[in-house]
Amino acid sequence: DDDVGVGYVVTNYHVIAPDHLPGRNGNDVEGANKKGSAAAGGGRPALRVAVSDAVTGEPVWYDAAVVGTQRASDIAVLRVRLADETRAGD
């Protein structure tokens, strides 16, 4: 299932930096859905997000793409997908 390990993260706009916005450095919102894209793990990911595992406390890594931002409110939404090396260990 292609949606396993996929979700969304809300973060601060200033955290993602302008270079990660859609249209910069080959990043795009559609890229988060395409196999072979940076956000899908097919190249160097535009963003990486680590979340602590609830049981072990070890980091679980996700590749991410910017879905939307609102600079005035300092908010950004990222679409995340388990990094390939994380899914390989399942």
Coordinates of all heavy atoms in Angstrom, one line a residue:
D1 N 0.8 -1.2 0.0 CA 0.0 0.0 0.0 C 0.9 1.2 0.0 O 1.7 1.4 0.9 CB -0.9 0.0 1.2 CG -2.0 1.0 1.2 OD1 -1.8 2.1 0.5 OD2 -3.0 0.9 1.9
D2 N 0.7 2.1 -1.0 CA 1.5 3.3 -1.1 C 1.3 4.4 0.0 O 2.1 5.3 0.2 CB 1.3 4.0 -2.5 CG 2.0 3.2 -3.6 OD1 3.0 2.5 -3.2 OD2 1.7 3.4 -4.7
D3 N 0.1 4.3 0.7 CA -0.2 5.2 1.8 C 0.3 4.8 3.1 O 0.2 5.6 4.1 CB -1.7 5.5 1.8 CG -2.2 6.3 0.6 OD1 -1.4 7.0 0.1 OD2 -3.3 6.1 0.3
V4 N 1.0 3.6 3.3 CA 1.5 3.2 4.5 C 2.7 4.1 4.9 O 3.6 4.3 4.0 CB 1.9 1.7 4.5 CG1 2.6 1.4 5.8 CG2 0.7 0.9 4.3
G5 N 2.7 4.7 6.1 CA 3.9 5.5 6.5 C 3.8 6.9 5.9 O 4.8 7.6 5.9
V6 N 2.6 7.3 5.5 CA 2.4 8.7 4.9 C 1.5 9.5 5.9 O 0.6 9.0 6.5 CB 1.7 8.6 3.5 CG1 1.4 10.0 3.0 CG2 2.6 7.9 2.6
G7 N 1.9 10.7 6.1 CA 1.1 11.6 7.0 C 1.4 13.0 6.8 O 2.1 13.4 5.8
Y8 N 1.0 13.9 7.7 CA 1.2 15.3 7.6 C 1.8 15.8 8.9 O 1.4 15.3 10.0 CB -0.1 16.1 7.3 CG -0.5 15.7 5.9 CD1 -1.4 14.6 5.7 CD2 -0.1 16.4 4.8 CE1 -1.8 14.3 4.4 CE2 -0.5 16.1 3.5 CZ -1.4 15.0 3.3 OH -1.7 14.7 2.0
V9 N 2.6 16.9 8.9 CA 3.2 17.5 10.0 C 3.0 19.0 9.9 O 3.2 19.6 8.8 CB 4.7 17.2 10.1 CG1 5.4 18.0 11.2 CG2 5.0 15.7 10.3
V10 N 2.5 19.6 11.0 CA 2.4 21.1 11.0 C 3.6 21.6 11.8 O 3.9 21.1 12.9 CB 1.1 21.5 11.7 CG1 1.1 23.0 11.8 CG2 -0.1 21.0 10.9
T11 N 4.3 22.5 11.2 CA 5.5 23.1 11.9 C 5.5 24.6 11.7 O 4.6 25.2 11.1 CB 6.8 22.4 11.3 OG1 7.9 22.8 12.1 CG2 7.0 22.7 9.9
N12 N 6.6 25.2 12.1 CA 6.7 26.7 11.9 C 7.3 26.9 10.5 O 8.2 26.2 10.1 CB 7.6 27.3 13.0 CG 7.0 27.1 14.3 OD1 7.4 26.3 15.1 ND2 6.0 28.0 14.6
Y13 N 6.9 28.0 9.9 CA 7.4 28.4 8.6 C 8.9 28.7 8.7 O 9.6 28.3 7.8 CB 6.7 29.7 8.1 CG 7.2 30.3 6.9 CD1 6.8 29.8 5.6 CD2 8.2 31.3 6.9 CE1 7.2 30.4 4.4 CE2 8.7 31.8 5.7 CZ 8.2 31.4 4.5 OH 8.7 31.9 3.3
H14 N 9.4 29.3 9.7 CA 10.8 29.7 9.8 C 11.7 28.5 9.9 O 12.9 28.5 9.6 CB 11.1 30.7 10.9 CG 11.0 30.0 12.3 ND1 9.8 30.0 13.0 CD2 11.9 29.4 13.0 CE1 10.1 29.4 14.2 NE2 11.3 29.0 14.2
V15 N 11.1 27.3 10.3 CA 11.9 26.1 10.4 C 12.3 25.5 9.0 O 13.4 24.9 8.9 CB 11.1 25.0 11.2 CG1 11.8 23.7 11.2 CG2 10.9 25.5 12.6
I16 N 11.4 25.6 8.1 CA 11.6 25.0 6.8 C 12.6 25.8 5.8 O 13.1 25.2 4.9 CB 10.3 24.7 6.0 CG1 9.6 26.0 5.7 CG2 9.5 23.7 6.8 CD1 8.5 25.8 4.7
A17 N 12.8 27.0 6.1 CA 13.7 27.9 5.3 C 13.1 28.0 3.9 O 12.6 27.1 3.3 CB 15.1 27.4 5.3
P18 N 13.3 29.2 3.2 CA 12.8 29.4 1.9 C 13.3 28.4 0.8 O 12.6 28.2 -0.1 CB 13.3 30.8 1.6 CG 13.5 31.5 2.9 CD 13.9 30.3 3.8
D19 N 14.5 27.8 1.0 CA 14.9 26.9 -0.1 C 14.1 25.6 -0.2 O 14.2 24.9 -1.2 CB 16.4 26.5 0.2 CG 17.4 27.6 -0.1 OD1 17.0 28.6 -0.8 OD2 18.5 27.5 0.4
H20 N 13.3 25.4 0.8 CA 12.4 24.1 0.7 C 11.0 24.4 0.3 O 10.2 23.5 0.2 CB 12.4 23.5 2.1 CG 13.7 23.0 2.6 ND1 14.4 22.0 2.0 CD2 14.5 23.5 3.6 CE1 15.6 21.9 2.6 NE2 15.7 22.7 3.6
L21 N 10.7 25.6 -0.1 CA 9.4 25.9 -0.6 C 9.1 25.3 -2.0 O 10.0 25.2 -2.7 CB 9.1 27.4 -0.6 CG 9.2 28.1 0.8 CD1 9.1 29.6 0.6 CD2 8.2 27.5 1.7
P22 N 7.8 25.0 -2.3 CA 7.5 24.5 -3.6 C 8.1 25.4 -4.7 O 8.0 26.6 -4.6 CB 6.0 24.5 -3.6 CG 5.6 24.4 -2.2 CD 6.7 25.2 -1.5
G23 N 8.6 24.7 -5.8 CA 9.2 25.5 -6.9 C 10.7 25.8 -6.7 O 11.3 26.2 -7.7
R24 N 11.3 25.6 -5.6 CA 12.7 25.8 -5.3 C 13.4 24.5 -5.3 O 13.0 23.5 -4.8 CB 12.9 26.5 -4.0 CG 12.2 27.8 -3.8 CD 13.1 29.0 -4.2 NE 12.4 30.2 -4.0 CZ 12.7 31.1 -3.0 NH1 13.7 30.8 -2.2 NH2 12.1 32.2 -3.0
N25 N 14.6 24.5 -5.9 CA 15.5 23.3 -5.9 C 14.8 22.0 -6.4 O 15.0 20.9 -5.9 CB 16.1 23.1 -4.5 CG 16.9 24.2 -4.1 OD1 17.5 24.9 -4.9 ND2 16.9 24.5 -2.8
G26 N 13.8 22.1 -7.3 CA 13.1 21.0 -7.8 C 12.0 20.5 -6.9 O 11.4 19.4 -7.1
N27 N 11.7 21.2 -5.8 CA 10.7 20.8 -4.9 C 9.3 21.1 -5.5 O 9.2 22.2 -6.0 CB 10.8 21.5 -3.5 CG 12.1 21.2 -2.9 OD1 12.7 20.1 -3.0 ND2 12.6 22.1 -2.1
D28 N 8.3 20.3 -5.3 CA 7.0 20.6 -5.7 C 6.0 19.8 -4.8 O 6.3 18.8 -4.3 CB 6.7 20.4 -7.2 CG 6.9 19.0 -7.7 OD1 7.1 18.1 -6.8 OD2 6.8 18.8 -8.9
V29 N 4.8 20.3 -4.7 CA 3.8 19.6 -4.0 C 3.5 18.2 -4.6 O 3.3 17.2 -3.9 CB 2.5 20.4 -3.8 CG1 1.4 19.7 -3.2 CG2 2.8 21.7 -3.1
E30 N 3.4 18.2 -5.9 CA 3.2 16.9 -6.6 C 4.3 15.9 -6.4 O 4.0 14.7 -6.3 CB 3.0 17.2 -8.1 CG 1.8 18.0 -8.5 CD 0.5 17.4 -8.1 OE1 0.4 16.2 -8.3 OE2 -0.3 18.2 -7.6
G31 N 5.5 16.4 -6.2 CA 6.6 15.5 -6.0 C 6.5 14.6 -4.8 O 7.0 13.5 -4.7
A32 N 5.7 15.0 -3.8 CA 5.5 14.2 -2.6 C 4.7 12.9 -3.0 O 4.7 12.0 -2.2 CB 4.7 15.0 -1.6
N33 N 4.0 12.9 -4.1 CA 3.2 11.8 -4.5 C 3.8 10.9 -5.6 O 3.2 9.9 -5.9 CB 1.8 12.3 -5.0 CG 1.1 13.1 -4.0 OD1 1.0 12.7 -2.8 ND2 0.5 14.2 -4.3
K34 N 4.9 11.3 -6.1 CA 5.5 10.6 -7.3 C 6.6 9.7 -6.8 O 7.5 10.1 -6.1 CB 6.1 11.6 -8.3 CG 5.0 12.5 -9.0 CD 5.7 13.4 -9.9 CE 4.7 14.4 -10.5 NZ 5.3 15.4 -11.3
K35 N 6.6 8.5 -7.3 CA 7.7 7.6 -7.0 C 8.9 8.1 -7.8 O 8.8 8.6 -8.9 CB 7.4 6.1 -7.5 CG 6.4 5.5 -6.6 CD 6.3 4.0 -6.9 CE 5.2 3.4 -6.1 NZ 5.7 2.6 -5.0
G36 N 10.1 8.0 -7.2 CA 11.3 8.5 -7.9 C 11.6 9.9 -7.6 O 12.6 10.5 -8.0
S37 N 10.6 10.6 -6.9 CA 10.8 12.0 -6.6 C 11.7 12.1 -5.4 O 11.8 11.2 -4.6 CB 9.5 12.7 -6.4 OG 8.9 12.3 -5.1
A38 N 12.2 13.3 -5.1 CA 13.0 13.5 -3.9 C 12.2 13.2 -2.7 O 12.6 12.5 -1.7 CB 13.5 14.9 -3.8
A39 N 10.9 13.6 -2.6 CA 10.1 13.4 -1.5 C 9.7 11.9 -1.3 O 9.4 11.5 -0.2 CB 8.9 14.3 -1.5
A40 N 9.7 11.2 -2.4 CA 9.4 9.8 -2.3 C 10.6 8.9 -2.1 O 10.5 7.7 -2.1 CB 8.7 9.4 -3.6
G41 N 11.7 9.5 -1.9 CA 12.9 8.8 -1.6 C 13.7 8.4 -2.8 O 14.7 7.6 -2.7
G42 N 13.4 8.9 -4.0 CA 14.1 8.5 -5.2 C 15.3 9.3 -5.5 O 16.1 9.0 -6.3
G43 N 15.5 10.3 -4.7 CA 16.7 11.2 -4.9 C 17.0 11.8 -3.5 O 16.6 11.2 -2.5
R44 N 17.8 12.8 -3.5 CA 18.1 13.5 -2.2 C 16.8 14.2 -1.7 O 16.3 15.0 -2.4 CB 19.2 14.5 -2.4 CG 19.6 15.1 -1.1 CD 20.9 15.7 -1.2 NE 21.4 16.0 0.1 CZ 21.7 17.2 0.5 NH1 21.7 18.2 -0.3 NH2 22.1 17.4 1.8
P45 N 16.3 13.8 -0.5 CA 15.1 14.4 -0.1 C 15.2 15.9 0.2 O 16.3 16.4 0.6 CB 14.8 13.7 1.2 CG 16.0 13.0 1.6 CD 16.9 12.9 0.4
A46 N 14.2 16.7 -0.1 CA 14.2 18.1 0.1 C 14.2 18.4 1.6 O 14.9 19.3 2.1 CB 12.9 18.7 -0.5
L47 N 13.5 17.6 2.4 CA 13.4 17.8 3.9 C 13.4 16.4 4.5 O 12.9 15.5 3.9 CB 12.2 18.5 4.3 CG 12.1 20.0 4.0 CD1 10.6 20.5 4.3 CD2 13.0 20.8 4.8
R48 N 14.0 16.3 5.7 CA 13.9 15.1 6.5 C 13.4 15.4 7.9 O 13.8 16.4 8.4 CB 15.2 14.4 6.6 CG 15.8 14.1 5.3 CD 16.1 12.7 4.9 NE 16.3 11.8 6.0 CZ 16.4 10.5 5.8 NH1 16.2 10.0 4.6 NH2 16.6 9.6 6.8
V49 N 12.5 14.6 8.4 CA 11.9 14.8 9.7 C 12.1 13.6 10.5 O 11.9 12.5 10.1 CB 10.3 15.0 9.5 CG1 9.7 15.2 10.9 CG2 10.0 16.3 8.7
A50 N 12.5 13.8 11.8 CA 12.7 12.7 12.7 C 11.7 12.8 13.8 O 11.5 13.9 14.4 CB 14.1 12.7 13.3
V51 N 11.1 11.7 14.1 CA 10.1 11.6 15.2 C 10.5 10.4 16.1 O 10.9 9.3 15.6 CB 8.7 11.3 14.7 CG1 7.7 11.2 15.8 CG2 8.3 12.4 13.7
S52 N 10.5 10.6 17.4 CA 11.0 9.6 18.3 C 9.9 8.4 18.4 O 8.7 8.7 18.5 CB 11.1 10.1 19.7 OG 12.2 11.1 19.8
D53 N 10.4 7.2 18.3 CA 9.6 6.0 18.4 C 9.0 6.0 19.8 O 9.8 6.2 20.8 CB 10.4 4.8 18.1 CG 9.6 3.5 18.2 OD1 9.4 3.0 19.3 OD2 9.1 3.1 17.2
A54 N 7.7 5.7 20.0 CA 7.1 5.8 21.3 C 7.6 4.7 22.2 O 7.6 4.9 23.4 CB 5.6 5.6 21.1
V55 N 8.1 3.6 21.7 CA 8.6 2.5 22.6 C 10.1 2.6 22.8 O 10.5 2.6 24.0 CB 8.3 1.1 21.9 CG1 8.8 0.0 22.7 CG2 6.8 1.0 21.7
T56 N 10.9 2.8 21.8 CA 12.3 2.7 22.0 C 13.0 4.1 22.2 O 14.1 4.2 22.7 CB 13.0 2.1 20.7 OG1 12.8 3.0 19.6 CG2 12.4 0.7 20.4
G57 N 12.3 5.2 21.7 CA 12.8 6.5 21.8 C 13.8 6.8 20.7 O 14.3 7.9 20.6
E58 N 14.1 5.8 19.8 CA 15.0 6.0 18.7 C 14.3 6.8 17.6 O 13.1 6.8 17.5 CB 15.3 4.6 18.1 CG 16.2 3.8 19.0 CD 17.5 4.4 19.3 OE1 18.2 4.9 18.3 OE2 18.0 4.3 20.4
P59 N 15.0 7.6 16.9 CA 14.4 8.4 15.8 C 13.9 7.6 14.6 O 14.6 6.6 14.2 CB 15.6 9.3 15.3 CG 16.8 8.6 15.7 CD 16.5 7.8 17.0
V60 N 12.7 7.9 14.1 CA 12.2 7.3 12.9 C 12.2 8.4 11.9 O 11.6 9.5 12.1 CB 10.7 6.8 13.2 CG1 10.2 6.3 11.9 CG2 10.7 5.8 14.3
W61 N 12.9 8.2 10.8 CA 13.1 9.2 9.8 C 12.0 9.2 8.7 O 11.6 8.2 8.2 CB 14.4 9.1 9.1 CG 15.5 9.5 10.1 CD1 16.2 8.7 10.9 CD2 15.9 10.9 10.3 NE1 17.1 9.5 11.7 CE2 16.9 10.8 11.3 CE3 15.6 12.1 9.8 CZ2 17.6 11.9 11.8 CZ3 16.2 13.2 10.3 CH2 17.2 13.1 11.3
Y62 N 11.6 10.4 8.3 CA 10.6 10.6 7.2 C 11.2 11.6 6.2 O 11.8 12.5 6.5 CB 9.3 11.2 7.8 CG 8.5 10.3 8.7 CD1 8.9 10.2 10.0 CD2 7.5 9.5 8.2 CE1 8.2 9.4 10.9 CE2 6.8 8.7 9.1 CZ 7.1 8.7 10.4 OH 6.4 7.8 11.3
D63 N 10.9 11.3 4.9 CA 11.1 12.3 3.8 C 9.9 13.2 3.8 O 8.8 12.7 4.0 CB 11.3 11.6 2.5 CG 12.5 10.7 2.4 OD1 13.5 11.0 3.1 OD2 12.5 9.7 1.7
A64 N 10.1 14.5 3.5 CA 9.0 15.4 3.6 C 9.0 16.4 2.4 O 10.1 16.6 1.8 CB 9.1 16.2 4.9
A65 N 7.8 16.9 2.1 CA 7.7 17.9 1.1 C 6.7 18.9 1.6 O 5.8 18.6 2.3 CB 7.1 17.3 -0.2
V66 N 6.9 20.2 1.3 CA 6.1 21.3 1.7 C 4.8 21.2 0.9 O 4.8 21.2 -0.3 CB 6.8 22.6 1.5 CG1 5.8 23.8 1.9 CG2 8.1 22.7 2.3
V67 N 3.7 21.2 1.7 CA 2.3 21.2 1.1 C 1.8 22.6 1.0 O 1.2 23.1 0.1 CB 1.4 20.3 1.8 CG1 0.0 20.4 1.3 CG2 1.9 18.9 1.8
G68 N 2.0 23.4 2.1 CA 1.5 24.7 2.2 C 2.2 25.5 3.3 O 2.7 25.0 4.2
T69 N 2.1 26.8 3.1 CA 2.7 27.7 4.2 C 1.8 29.0 4.3 O 1.1 29.3 3.4 CB 4.1 28.2 3.8 OG1 4.0 28.9 2.6 CG2 5.1 27.0 3.6
Q70 N 2.0 29.6 5.5 CA 1.4 30.9 5.7 C 2.5 31.7 6.5 O 2.6 31.5 7.8 CB 0.1 30.8 6.5 CG -0.6 32.2 6.6 CD -1.9 32.1 7.2 OE1 -2.1 31.5 8.2 NE2 -2.9 32.8 6.5
R71 N 3.3 32.4 5.8 CA 4.4 33.1 6.4 C 4.0 34.0 7.5 O 4.6 34.1 8.6 CB 5.2 33.8 5.4 CG 6.4 34.5 5.9 CD 7.2 35.1 4.8 NE 8.4 35.7 5.3 CZ 9.3 36.3 4.5 NH1 9.1 36.5 3.2 NH2 10.4 36.8 5.1
A72 N 2.9 34.8 7.3 CA 2.4 35.8 8.3 C 2.1 35.1 9.7 O 2.3 35.7 10.7 CB 1.2 36.5 7.8
S73 N 1.6 33.9 9.6 CA 1.3 33.1 10.8 C 2.4 32.2 11.3 O 2.2 31.5 12.3 CB 0.0 32.3 10.6 OG -1.1 33.2 10.3
D74 N 3.5 32.1 10.5 CA 4.7 31.3 10.8 C 4.2 29.8 10.9 O 4.6 29.1 11.8 CB 5.3 31.7 12.1 CG 6.7 31.1 12.3 OD1 7.4 30.8 11.2 OD2 7.1 30.8 13.4
I75 N 3.4 29.4 9.9 CA 3.0 28.0 9.8 C 3.3 27.4 8.5 O 3.3 28.0 7.5 CB 1.4 27.9 10.0 CG1 1.1 28.3 11.5 CG2 0.9 26.6 9.7 CD1 -0.4 28.4 11.8
A76 N 3.7 26.1 8.6 CA 3.9 25.3 7.3 C 3.4 23.9 7.6 O 3.4 23.4 8.7 CB 5.4 25.2 7.1
V77 N 2.9 23.3 6.5 CA 2.4 21.9 6.5 C 3.3 21.1 5.6 O 3.5 21.5 4.4 CB 0.9 21.8 6.0 CG1 0.4 20.4 6.0 CG2 0.0 22.7 6.9
L78 N 3.7 20.0 6.1 CA 4.6 19.0 5.4 C 3.9 17.7 5.2 O 3.2 17.2 6.1 CB 5.9 18.8 6.1 CG 6.7 19.9 6.6 CD1 7.9 19.5 7.4 CD2 7.1 20.8 5.5
R79 N 4.0 17.1 4.0 CA 3.6 15.8 3.7 C 4.8 14.9 4.0 O 5.8 15.1 3.4 CB 3.0 15.6 2.3 CG 2.5 14.2 2.1 CD 1.8 14.1 0.7 NE 1.1 12.9 0.5 CZ 1.6 11.8 0.1 NH1 2.9 11.7 -0.2 NH2 0.8 10.7 0.0
V80 N 4.6 13.9 4.9 CA 5.8 13.1 5.2 C 5.5 11.6 4.8 O 4.4 11.2 4.7 CB 6.1 13.1 6.7 CG1 6.5 14.5 7.1 CG2 4.9 12.7 7.6
R81 N 6.6 10.9 4.5 CA 6.5 9.5 4.1 C 7.8 8.9 4.7 O 8.9 9.4 4.6 CB 6.6 9.4 2.6 CG 6.5 8.0 2.1 CD 6.3 7.9 0.6 NE 6.0 6.6 0.2 CZ 6.7 5.9 -0.8 NH1 7.6 6.5 -1.4 NH2 6.3 4.7 -1.0
L82 N 7.5 7.7 5.3 CA 8.7 7.0 5.9 C 9.8 6.9 4.9 O 9.6 6.6 3.7 CB 8.3 5.5 6.3 CG 7.6 5.4 7.6 CD1 7.1 3.9 7.8 CD2 8.5 5.8 8.8
A83 N 11.0 7.2 5.4 CA 12.2 7.1 4.5 C 12.4 5.7 4.1 O 12.1 4.7 4.8 CB 13.4 7.6 5.2
D84 N 12.9 5.5 2.9 CA 13.1 4.1 2.3 C 13.9 3.2 3.2 O 13.5 2.0 3.4 CB 13.8 4.2 0.9 CG 12.8 4.6 -0.2 OD1 11.6 4.5 0.0 OD2 13.3 5.1 -1.2
E85 N 14.9 3.7 3.9 CA 15.7 2.9 4.7 C 14.9 2.5 6.0 O 15.2 1.4 6.6 CB 17.0 3.5 5.1 CG 16.9 4.8 5.9 CD 16.9 6.1 5.1 OE1 16.7 5.9 3.8 OE2 17.0 7.1 5.6
T86 N 14.0 3.3 6.4 CA 13.1 2.9 7.5 C 12.1 1.8 7.2 O 12.0 0.9 7.9 CB 12.3 4.2 8.0 OG1 13.3 5.2 8.3 CG2 11.5 3.9 9.2
R87 N 11.5 2.0 6.0 CA 10.6 1.0 5.5 C 11.2 -0.4 5.3 O 10.6 -1.4 5.5 CB 9.8 1.4 4.3 CG 8.7 2.4 4.6 CD 7.9 2.9 3.4 NE 8.7 3.9 2.7 CZ 8.8 4.0 1.4 NH1 8.2 3.1 0.7 NH2 9.5 4.9 0.9
A88 N 12.5 -0.3 4.8 CA 13.2 -1.6 4.5 C 13.4 -2.4 5.8 O 13.4 -3.7 5.7 CB 14.5 -1.3 3.9
G89 N 13.4 -1.8 7.0 CA 13.6 -2.5 8.2 C 12.4 -3.1 8.8 O 12.4 -3.9 9.7
D90 N 11.2 -2.8 8.2 CA 9.9 -3.3 8.7 C 9.7 -4.8 8.3 O 10.2 -5.3 7.4 CB 8.8 -2.5 8.2 CG 8.8 -1.1 8.9 OD1 9.4 -1.0 9.9 OD2 8.1 -0.2 8.3

